[in-house]
Amino acid sequence: MSTAMVWGVGTSDYGLFPERRVESLAWEAVAEAVRDAGITPGEIDAIVVGSVFGPPGVATRVQRGLGIPGVPVWTVENACASSTSAFHEAVEAVRFGRFGCVLVLGVDQMSTLFSGAIVPEATDPEGASSLPLPGLYALAAQRYVGEFGVTPEQLAAVAVKNKRNGLDNPRAQLRTSAPTTEEVLASRMIAEPLTMLQCCPTSDGAGAAIVGGDRGNRDDLLVEASAMVSGALWDHRSDDVWGYASVARAAEKAFAQAGRPPSEIDVMEVHDAFTIGEILTLEALGIAPRGKGAELAPAGHTTRDGAQPVNPSGGLLSRGHPLGATGTAQIAEVVWQLRGRAGPRQVARHGVGLVETMGGGAAGMDGNACVVTILSTQP
Amino acid sequence: MTSELGVGRPTKRRPGAAVGGLPVADSRPVLDRSDDGGDAVLGVRCTACRYPAAQTGIPWCPACYAPVAPERFAVTGTAWSSTVVAIRVGQRRPPFGLAYLDLDDGPRVLVHLAEPAVVPIGTRLRITGTDDGDLVASA
């Protein structure tokens, strides 16, 4: 099996851009990724697109501005993990020698579809019963409050950390203030115990990555691991809160592939759509024991100058959450961090980075899909 | 009917009638109150491993692949977790309480709480009826 490398990454700005064409967000990200990889568009052998809300045929609508005719193109929808699923497919294709250079794109323009919160999927029992996504995460948070004594201050610490980090991310949607713990807790209640400042905003944006083989370029990042899992039944038999097990399954595969323990990860971008999400994810990744994840942010372990910085970009809580684009945005940040070119966001140790994206919301399943990727600089 | 979806804006995500879109087939668990005092949540149970599901029409047991048969589940159980939603969702006006209820010898179902308040984990709840198709439970 061949080695897969990330040759280049790019993103658009993240925010609300209803006046822009959806393709223009994608073109911005792709153009930066192609420049970053130092290739010409004609070298791209295949395109994989992650998008949740389309429009239908979004890949082809993007492609018509790129001049990359006739190559295989496919679109992946795995909720929030759509574009890391697309990235996973690109990595597998390169590893198995199917293509030499694959363009991965994630894009969504949610401001043209929703005013305010995402409308729950009405075909789903939970959606039909008016359970919004923050409500689903709130149920997990309340379970944690009851089971492990997680405090409101511990939840808020995740938002304080990530929103402070986001101030240094010029592409983030929210970068106007770093709230205090008190301000996070005093913000408008969305679903108990999650307040407004503990919820990511819905956004427009795009991210792109160029994946290829080993071409001997020192700037390329080695894909040590890429693991994707779909959901499993989540029901009365499970001791885990919703979403936990799917992240754990993907993490176990990824760490086995990389041959590393979680303690060797220097920097992470994880799915913090809501504060409890980051806490659960870090436990499922093995960064903290079960029930102890809430201690990481208050203890400084996950701050930018901590032992294992998490979401130095500001995460979804600052960047925003254009569902299909989030995974590629996370990959871009980790690539910039590992190259040591993240500017004021740069973390000190940056040899090995991890990206985790968990997409979900389908009732009775512990997630729709989860992807965990481990990247490293070359020795 | 008011809509949160914007002014006459189409949306890829099916919004359903509850938020001003077209109706979709109802996938929520069904409460059967036809028997005197014999209320039950309808669903299926695996004939081999006894796995219970509130979803009907599934092709086989998703846990062990054996055939499933129709089943009536108890309307009582324990709260796995609960929350109070403070934002409007569709036509649901805040605040409203939601809980995951582990039915006795049955599946985990999402219920609306008659009183919008967080209840301790393990609280005994009983499904007392439905509200616009949603299961409603109280302590």
Side-chain angles (χ1 to χ4, degrees):
Chain A
M1 199 158 51
S2 307
T3 300
M5 317 281 285
V6 181
W7 290 1
V9 290
T11 77
S12 68
D13 283 341
Y14 295 97
L16 300 177
F17 311 117
E19 74 289 354
R20 289 186 62 173
R21 291 174 60 190
V22 63
E23 301 101 304
S24 76
L25 295 164
W27 292 329
E28 189 178 341
V30 171
E32 185 179 38
V34 165
R35 276 197 308 272
D36 190 41
I39 62 169
T40 63
E43 293 175 58
I44 292 168
D45 297 325
I47 304 172
V48 197
V49 178
S51 187
V52 180
F53 296 109
V58 63
T60 307
R61 294 174 208 289
V62 168
Q63 197 184 359
R64 71 180 159 199
L66 298 176
I68 308 170
V71 300
V73 172
W74 64 106
T75 305
V76 177
E77 191 268 291
N78 264 344
C80 316
S82 291
S83 62
T84 20
S85 296
F87 178 83
H88 176 77
E89 289 308 299
V91 166
E92 292 281 285
V94 168
R95 281 177 170 175
F96 285 97
R98 188 173 171 199
F99 303 111
C101 176
V102 182
L103 167 63
V104 179
L105 169 69
V107 63
D108 261 315
Q109 187 183 30
M110 297 173 55
S111 67
T112 59
L113 293 167
F114 307 105
S115 55
I118 299 175
V119 178
E121 170 62 42
T123 60
D124 195 58
E126 261 70 336
S129 282
S130 303
L131 177 67
L133 252 297
L136 181 55
Y137 276 91
L139 287 163
Q142 288 292 4
R143 180 78 191 181
Y144 252 54
V145 168
E147 205 171 3
F148 298 114
V150 169
T151 66
E153 288 75 19
Q154 287 175 320
L155 286 170
V158 174
V160 170
K161 168 180 74 75
N162 291 359
K163 288 187 183 290
R164 185 179 297 145
N165 287 350
L167 292 179
D168 291 325
N169 183 352
R171 297 182 182 186
Q173 179 169 352
L174 303 179
R175 54 179 190 279
T176 50
S177 70
T180 63
T181 300
E182 293 69 30
E183 287 167 341
V184 170
L185 293 177
S187 63
R188 187 160 72 96
M189 185 59 74
I190 301 298
E192 289 186 37
L194 301 177
T195 55
M196 180 81 161
L197 292 178
Q198 300 185 55
C199 305
C200 67
T202 56
S203 315
D204 305 333
I210 308 288
V211 178
D214 187 354
R215 56 178 181 170
N217 186 332
R218 300 276 310 161
D219 242 10
D220 295 349
L221 284 309
L222 173 66
V223 182
E224 289 194 356
S226 177
M228 181 178 79
V229 301
S230 63
L233 295 172
W234 180 72
D235 55 44
H236 62 287
R237 301 171 303 177
S238 175
D239 292 330
D240 300 319
V241 295
W242 173 82
Y244 184 98
S246 62
V247 180
R249 284 196 301 278
E252 188 181 358
K253 283 173 182 272
F255 284 116
Q257 222 180 89
R260 291 182 185 277
S263 58
E264 289 183 12
I265 302 298
D266 295 329
V267 57
M268 280 166 265
E269 285 283 314
V270 307
H271 197 74
D272 62 331
F274 304 92
T275 48
I276 185 69
E278 177 170 311
I279 291 167
L280 294 171
T281 297
L282 295 178
E283 291 182 16
L285 288 172
I287 303 296
R290 196 183 173 85
K292 299 291 185 188
E295 296 173 11
L296 292 173
H301 185 86
T302 53
T303 53
R304 224 155 50 199
D305 57 359
Q308 289 184 296
V310 174
N311 291 323
S313 69
L316 281 62
L317 287 167
S318 290
R319 183 171 51 237
H321 190 19
L323 271 66
T326 286
T328 39
Q330 294 173 304
I331 285 170
E333 176 69 14
V334 165
V335 166
W336 293 326
Q337 289 285 350
L338 294 185
R339 286 178 178 164
R341 293 182 205 147
R345 307 191 304 284
Q346 185 62 50
V347 302
R349 282 194 316 135
H350 50 88
V352 186
L354 178 146
V355 171
E356 177 273 345
T357 337
M358 200 280 277
M365 299 293 284
D366 65 11
N368 292 24
C370 181
V371 182
V372 173
T373 301
I374 299 173
L375 304 176
S376 69
T377 51
Q378 295 173 77
Chain B
M1 185 180 286
T2 56
S3 168
E4 280 193 334
L5 297 176
V7 185
R9 189 177 279 162
T11 168
K12 183 183 177 192
R13 178 65 67 96
R14 295 184 190 89
V19 286
L22 296 172
V24 297
D26 201 332
S27 54
R28 290 172 290 184
V30 173
L31 178 66
D32 180 19
R33 314 197 69 180
S34 59
D35 297 339
D36 291 337
D39 291 359
V41 174
L42 301 183
V44 297
R45 186 186 293 282
C46 177
T47 55
C49 77
R50 311 301 293 159
Y51 174 80
Q55 295 287 292
T56 54
I58 54 179
W60 49 69
C61 171
C64 79
Y65 316 133
V68 293
E71 178 70 297
R72 297 170 62 83
F73 300 116
V75 293
T76 52
T78 55
W80 178 83
S81 185
S82 62
T83 185
V84 175
V85 178
I87 56 172
R88 187 183 145 178
V89 181
Q91 293 186 324
R92 284 280 175 189
R93 305 280 174 168
F96 58 95
L98 291 171
Y100 271 119
L101 173 59
D102 287 341
L103 296 177
D104 296 329
D105 200 27
R108 178 174 294 162
V109 292
L110 182 71
V111 298
H112 281 252
L113 294 169
E115 296 296 323
V118 171
V119 299
I121 292 169
T123 300
R124 294 290 300 170
L125 297 175
R126 169 181 285 273
I127 296 170
T128 54
T130 58
D131 178 8
D132 202 22
D134 294 327
L135 298 176
V136 178
S138 54

